[in-house]
Amino acid sequence: MAADLLPLALSRPNEALERARRLLADDPGPYAASLARQAIGIVLREFGDIEQAVRELRAAQRLARKSRSAEREADVLATLGVALVFAGRTASGRTALNTAVELSTGLTHGRILLRRGGVLLVLGRHRAALADLNAAISVLRVAGDLLWEARARTERAFCHLALGALARAAADLGRAGELFVQTGQELESADATANHGVLALRVGDLPAALGHFDAAARHYDRLGAADANLSLHRCAALLTAGLPEEALAEADEAIERLLGTRGQRSKQAELMLTAADCALAAGRPAAALERAEGAARLFDRQRRRWWRAHARLVMVRAEFAAGSPTGALLRAAGACVRELAALSSPHLPLGHLLAGRIALALGRTRVAREHLTAAARARRGGPAQARTTGWLAHALLARLEGDARALLHACGRGLAVIDEHRGTLGSSELRAQATAQGAELAALGQRHALRAGRPRMLLTWSERWRGGARGVPPARPPDDPDLQADLAAIRAVAGRLADAHARGLPTALLQAEQVRLERAARARALRARGDRIACPPFDPGRLLAALGGDLLLELVEVDGGLHVLLCGGGRVRRLPAGPLEQAARQLHLARFALSRLAHGRSTLAPAALLNQLESAGAELERLLLGAAGRALGDRDVVIVPPGRLHGVPWSMLPSLRERVVSVAPSAASWLRAREPGADGAGVVLVRGPGLASKGAEVPKIAAGHADPVVLEDGTATVPRILAAMEGRRLAHIAAHGTFRADSPLFSALRVDDGPLTVYDLERLRRPPRQVVLSSCESGRGAAAGADELLGLVACLVELGTAGVVASVVPVNDAAAVPLMVSLHRELRAGAALPAALTAARRECAGDPVAVATGWSFQSFGAG
């Protein structure tokens, strides 16, 4: 029947389109034809060409008038009004909706009030929208129209969200979801799932939000429908998760899809604004400004004042991030604040914070004080992100007032809010990325300690954030059979890819399948929940007592400069070092030269290249350690570098070349690694496929241990390796390693059934006490968040492994064999892992390649 087409258009759009066109082919009367054209217009409005939708709806209006049904004409006119607003013709759309309201009566009147309220919501006129929606719900509830009541409650929920009434929004969304299921509306049931994700995101439950969005995406895929709103919601979640580049890519892809289908211009403008936010969070202010200006122009044409105000806020933020502040920029920020206040925007605290920052930079202290005081009120309640904004404003205000106690209190409270948020996350990636939100709070504490000349305080504030993500219980993926199936499928595809490469066969389809599976596995892992256990505060006194006669060197970056905190002998000293950027450039050159020597890829003789490396090591020491290199005496050293410097081959540095050195992500993690663990028993040795050395060290090492478990030649599979590693004293894995800078938790060791990834290792409940990874780049990590690290070694240290030996550059497989054999001989003699590696280097120092190989391996943790 023709009357069934309208509900079908938002339930099963493809079926509605097919049935409507079939009906029109039978040349129906004007009333039925009007219904068919309206259904086609709705499907095109939501999922296709918005201009074609307008044309179909105008034809439906003409047919409705021809049918002489005023109610039919009013209903079509309301649908047309919504489409015109979505197409960017706001004035015409609102006129059509107002006319439809005047023409309609009874149930149709309630439905049209709903549509007008929805348009007012899109335009950012929330209180006017609320009035229409309240009236609509009253009419629809009395009439028993469950479907339209559900739609009205959904729109009203978003009004409540915009006005900060979260409990009311939750109640409306819950009831709407029940009604959509009850009425069999498949598409709108998917919308309801996505809407629950929006609510979860607003209350700070990121794992739940991601779960709802993924479920909605699967539902949309089953229906063959793409939804721009879901892209907007996912971008917001990815931004909250600290993944701005991914959010920007998603926003740009959604914009391209809309442009390709000539879809809703209203959604195009919203996506452009979202993309601007993402670009700004990714540190790309020029790109942010370009997108925000484009969004503001579209919102202007569409007469969407609320949205235009938010686009202007992003424009001011981008200009402030891009260069020196000006009086004109401060005036623009003030105008933004006034407009946001008039609109009751939840972003008002962010606007006040921005205006306060600009005023501070210009020396306008009175204006800064006013704005920061207003922004600081947000610390008292609301989502974690808003409270963090409030505490940051409070800290800046305290700095302005010269109140050191209030400054440190505000920084500590702000970081505690983020700790609370991070405790809800079960994904190690999200935990690390979440620290970015507190980077400025930690930096304020560091700057104060540096200005005050208090090295111990500087150490405390550096540790307060550096070890934060590693201070909570270890992140493990959920016991999800679908996740395990995805990881197993990834291994299978990796094997087929290797075979196809070896045989010269096409690989594009296999690579696409690998990407799809990796995305699915990562999405599942991101939804894991944390256990909200807080980490204990860092105690410098406990660190100094644990060091005994040894030294810990914590490298701290403050405003681009490196400082070495020399901890030992009962005190903490600060010594200046070089600029971080210069050190990072020198590190890149040194790693490149080290890899060339290890693999014979230089026109220089090995001895000459080794001399160059020694000079490069001396320059690295000057930049990284400064005068601290001359203050080490003959003591063992623990080094805690910033995330960007975790790939340093520290043994290249002259003062560390013959010294026992271990590397740790933070002083707190080093202390945890020294704690007595469960007594592990036995040794497991793994030999992976495809090594140039054929894993020759494994049988030699096995000969020196009593009853080792040896996995090789088809038995070195991920399930067997993980089972064998549980509770062991020592695990040695000889396998090719791959570091994935694009997705560090897919960094892997190649074993018999494919890649052994970080996601796999996270499933260990009792990791080995010591792990040796004699594979390329297995010690590399990716800096994340404020100053965290992601990768194979970071995972093992977080899980509780006391010490790991791994390489930070690609190594020569053959040259690694004698080094590994010597390392195990020293371990059997009772040496700790860092001392065993130092002794093994000395034994294998006979030629330049052996020296380069020894320098490539580092000891991580506490041994």
Side-chain angles (χ1 to χ4, degrees):
M1 291 177 60
D4 296 334
L5 289 173
L6 297 184
L8 205 61
L10 289 175
S11 177
R12 296 190 293 279
N14 292 332
E15 182 183 339
L17 207 58
E18 182 183 344
R19 285 176 57 177
R21 286 171 175 162
R22 200 162 53 234
L23 176 63
L24 289 172
D26 292 338
D27 195 21
Y31 191 95
S34 170
L35 285 165
R37 293 285 183 193
Q38 186 179 4
I40 293 171
I42 290 171
V43 173
L44 290 174
R45 183 191 71 193
E46 297 297 321
F47 308 109
D49 186 332
I50 190 69
E51 293 300 335
Q52 183 60 34
V54 169
R55 286 193 286 273
E56 290 285 349
L57 291 168
R58 289 202 187 280
Q61 183 190 6
R62 289 192 294 272
L63 289 163
R65 189 176 297 137
K66 192 174 179 181
S67 74
R68 298 176 183 250
S69 169
E71 292 294 296
R72 176 97 283 277
E73 184 178 357
D75 192 67
V76 175
L77 194 58
T79 304
L80 174 62
V82 174
L84 286 167
V85 172
F86 285 179
R89 290 180 244 168
T90 302
S92 299
R94 292 191 64 189
T95 298
L97 280 159
N98 291 338
T99 303
V101 168
E102 292 168 7
L103 288 175
S104 61
T105 58
L107 179 60
T108 303
H109 184 68
R111 291 178 174 181
I112 293 173
L113 280 173
L114 155 62
R115 279 174 276 186
R116 189 171 72 175
V119 161
L120 290 168
L121 172 62
V122 168
L123 297 174
R125 302 190 58 174
H126 300 110
R127 299 198 183 281
L130 203 55
D132 269 357
L133 294 168
N134 286 336
I137 289 170
S138 296
V139 172
L140 298 167
R141 190 169 53 229
V142 169
D145 191 336
L146 301 183
L147 172 58
W148 283 78
E149 182 188 344
R151 291 170 178 167
R153 285 185 179 277
T154 299
E155 299 287 7
R156 190 170 71 175
F158 278 93
C159 268
H160 287 319
L161 274 178
L163 296 169
L166 299 184
R168 292 178 180 178
D172 269 341
L173 285 179
R175 180 60 179 153
E178 293 170 5
L179 294 174
F180 283 135
V181 171
Q182 193 174 335
T183 53
Q185 289 298 107
E186 291 190 39
L187 182 62
E188 286 171 294
S189 291
D191 292 340
T193 302
N195 294 338
H196 281 292
V198 175
L199 182 62
L201 194 60
R202 282 292 300 273
V203 300
D205 191 345
L206 182 57
L210 291 169
H212 286 305
F213 295 151
D214 288 343
R218 290 191 296 272
H219 203 155
Y220 288 129
D221 286 343
R222 286 196 299 272
L223 295 171
D227 187 77
N229 282 321
L230 182 62
S231 293
L232 287 165
H233 302 330
R234 278 187 53 80
C235 287
L238 291 169
L239 275 180
T240 301
L243 302 169
E245 290 287 359
E246 288 185 40
L248 178 58
E250 171 126 2
D252 284 344
E253 286 172 15
I255 291 168
E256 287 298 318
R257 283 197 301 272
L258 273 182
L259 291 173
T261 59
R262 300 178 66 193
Q264 298 175 13
R265 288 192 183 86
S266 58
K267 291 302 171 193
Q268 180 190 340
E270 291 171 34
L271 283 163
M272 286 182 71
L273 175 57
T274 295
D277 252 330
C278 299
L280 192 58
R284 296 163 59 181
L289 184 59
E290 179 186 359
R291 287 167 170 81
E293 286 174 340
R297 284 193 296 271
L298 286 174
F299 290 136
D300 256 337
R301 290 187 207 127
Q302 295 165 12
R303 301 189 184 185
R304 298 170 69 183
R305 180 187 167 207
W306 191 91
W307 290 94
R308 183 189 60 200
H310 289 79
R312 287 177 177 171
L313 175 64
V314 177
M315 288 167 59
V316 176
R317 290 173 62 206
E319 287 188 51
F320 182 53
S324 300
T326 63
L329 191 62
L330 179 58
R331 288 190 293 276
C336 274
V337 166
R338 289 189 293 276
E339 196 165 12
L340 293 170
L343 295 167
S344 301
S345 168
H347 291 149
L348 180 59
L350 186 60
H352 276 301
L353 177 62
L354 174 63
R357 284 180 188 279
I358 297 170
L360 278 177
L362 293 171
R364 305 275 294 276
T365 56
R366 183 187 60 78
V367 177
R369 188 177 290 110
E370 289 173 3
H371 284 295
L372 293 174
T373 300
R377 295 188 189 108
R379 73 190 187 278
R380 299 190 181 114
Q385 208 161 10
R387 283 182 285 147
T388 304
T389 297
W391 282 114
L392 176 56
H394 196 59
L396 292 172
L397 186 61
R399 188 182 67 177
L400 177 62
E401 304 291 355
D403 189 339
R405 185 188 295 270
L407 166 68
L408 297 178
H409 173 75
C411 291
R413 289 292 300 274
L415 294 177
V417 170
I418 299 174
D419 279 342
E420 178 188 330
H421 162 65
R422 197 170 53 209
T424 68
L425 306 175
S427 159
S428 55
E429 181 178 4
L430 289 189
R431 285 181 178 181
Q433 298 291 4
T435 63
Q437 297 174 18
E440 187 170 1
L441 286 162
L444 283 169
Q446 287 177 316
R447 289 188 195 109
H448 172 76
L450 191 61
R451 285 195 304 270
R454 300 177 62 182
R456 188 178 288 222
M457 179 186 284
L458 180 56
L459 173 66
T460 300
W461 276 101
S462 300
E463 281 294 307
R464 176 65 182 82
W465 211 231
R466 174 170 286 175
R470 309 260 168 224
V472 291
R476 291 186 171 93
D479 291 325
D480 178 353
D482 291 330
L483 173 60
Q484 306 315 321
D486 284 340
L487 293 172
I490 288 168
R491 291 193 286 275
V493 168
R496 291 162 61 197
L497 264 172
D499 181 62
H501 279 301
R503 295 166 60 186
L505 298 175
T507 60
L509 290 177
L510 286 172
Q511 288 173 337
E513 178 65 3
Q514 183 181 40
V515 169
R516 186 191 70 78
L517 289 167
E518 286 184 355
R519 285 179 176 170
R522 181 169 176 261
R524 293 184 196 283
L526 293 180
R527 297 198 295 265
R529 288 188 170 278
D531 46 22
R532 295 179 181 266
I533 298 176
C535 55
F538 175 73
D539 181 1
R542 181 168 164 253
L543 171 67
L544 293 170
L547 283 168
D550 296 333
L551 291 173
L552 183 141
L553 276 58
E554 179 141 343
L555 275 63
V556 177
E557 182 263 328
V558 180
D559 296 329
L562 287 171
H563 303 265
V564 181
L565 297 177
L566 195 63
C567 309
R571 63 182 182 140
V572 180
R573 290 181 287 159
R574 182 191 68 84
L575 297 170
L580 176 62
E581 289 301 326
Q582 194 174 336
R585 285 195 297 272
Q586 184 64 26
L587 171 60
H588 175 74
L589 296 173
R591 287 171 50 82
F592 178 68
L594 191 60
S595 178
R596 283 200 306 161
L597 177 54
H599 292 88
R601 294 173 181 160
S602 173
T603 56
L604 293 175
L609 189 53
L610 184 61
N611 287 335
Q612 282 191 2
L613 274 173
E614 289 176 344
S615 299
E619 178 62 10
L620 262 182
E621 177 164 321
R622 182 186 72 80
L623 292 168
L624 296 175
L625 300 185
R630 300 189 294 274
L632 304 180
D634 59 356
R635 290 171 287 185
D636 294 350
V637 169
V638 180
I639 298 178
V640 178
R644 286 184 61 186
L645 298 177
H646 266 278
V648 173
W650 294 99
S651 298
M652 280 181 61
L653 278 57
S655 65
L656 305 179
R657 203 160 287 162
E658 298 298 322
R659 191 183 303 274
V660 175
V661 176
S662 55
V663 181
S666 66
S669 71
W670 179 80
L671 279 171
R672 286 194 297 274
R674 291 183 77 257
E675 294 172 356
D679 292 332
V683 174
V684 58
L685 305 173
V686 177
R687 176 158 52 172
L691 292 166
S693 66
K694 302 188 185 302
E697 78 257 32
V698 171
K700 295 179 181 179
I701 294 168
H705 289 286
D707 300 322
V709 174
V710 180
L711 300 174
E712 58 186 354
D713 299 331
T715 65
T717 62
V718 169
R720 288 190 176 189
I721 291 168
L722 293 178
M725 289 175 74
E726 287 284 352
R728 293 288 175 178
R729 174 176 60 82
L730 173 65
H732 179 108
I733 303 178
H736 279 304
T738 54
F739 171 67
R740 288 278 299 274
D742 65 317
S743 190
L745 271 68
F746 280 111
S747 297
L749 305 170
R750 182 184 166 199
V751 295
D752 285 341
D753 62 340
L756 170 63
T757 68
V758 175
Y759 287 118
D760 294 306
L761 289 173
E762 284 184 335
R763 293 162 55 198
L764 289 168
R765 301 295 160 179
R766 292 179 300 128
R769 189 69 181 160
Q770 296 176 325
V771 176
V772 178
L773 303 175
S774 61
S775 51
C776 289
E777 296 192 291
S778 52
R780 283 192 66 190
D787 201 6
E788 299 290 344
L789 201 68
L790 295 172
L792 289 162
V793 168
C795 166
L796 289 165
V797 170
E798 178 190 5
L799 290 174
T801 295
V804 182
V805 164
S807 72
V808 294
V809 294
V811 295
N812 185 306
D813 288 348
V817 171
L819 181 74
M820 293 296 109
V821 172
S822 296
L823 171 71
H824 279 266
R825 185 164 55 248
E826 295 294 330
L827 289 173
R828 289 196 301 273
L833 204 54
L837 179 59
T838 302
R841 284 197 194 101
R842 292 193 192 106
E843 287 187 38
C844 301
D847 68 88
V849 174
V851 170
T853 302
W855 288 351
S856 299
F857 282 91
Q858 301 295 329
S859 179
F860 298 89

